[in-house]
Amino acid sequence: LQLVYYCWFVMADFNLGFVLKLTLRNVRRAIDISIRKTFERIHEFNGNDEKGREIYHTLNLLHTLRKIIDDFQKTYVKQGDKE
């Protein structure tokens, strides 16, 4: 699968918007996975206030990062660029 993805990426015409959209999509996917996996672990630390604060702080930072990525995409990547 990675070889097919690599060949498709190499064969495509260079386009800044295309490269940025592809990169941002992968970053956002990684952030979403981290949010989901962190949220799933909340119940493990019900009695631990320190870890609970750390988890909520982590979720807050991940949501902030996702918002930054979304704002960056709206500002610098044209929505009409082909993928």
Side-chain angles (χ1 to χ4, degrees):
L1 181 64
Q2 284 186 345
L3 180 60
V4 171
Y5 175 77
Y6 175 75
C7 290
W8 173 72
F9 186 77
V10 170
M11 293 182 342
D13 290 336
F14 182 81
N15 178 303
L16 176 62
F18 170 79
V19 173
L20 289 177
K21 280 178 86 169
L22 188 61
T23 302
L24 292 172
R25 182 183 338 151
N26 290 333
V27 170
R28 192 167 200 291
R29 186 177 301 139
I31 292 169
D32 288 343
I33 290 169
S34 293
I35 289 171
R36 182 174 41 84
K37 289 185 178 276
T38 301
F39 187 77
E40 288 173 356
R41 297 200 59 198
I42 288 176
H43 72 280
E44 294 177 30
F45 304 102
N46 280 341
N48 189 336
D49 289 341
E50 184 180 335
K51 281 294 180 188
R53 279 192 299 274
E54 186 176 352
I55 286 175
Y56 283 108
H57 182 66
T58 301
L59 287 170
N60 182 44
L61 291 175
L62 287 168
H63 281 285
T64 301
L65 186 56
R66 184 169 63 180
K67 174 83 169 103
I68 290 168
I69 294 296
D70 290 345
D71 291 345
F72 179 87
Q73 186 168 6
K74 287 177 190 172
T75 303
Y76 294 106
V77 180
K78 290 186 240 172
Q79 296 302 318
D81 288 332
K82 60 182 177 182
E83 293 187 25

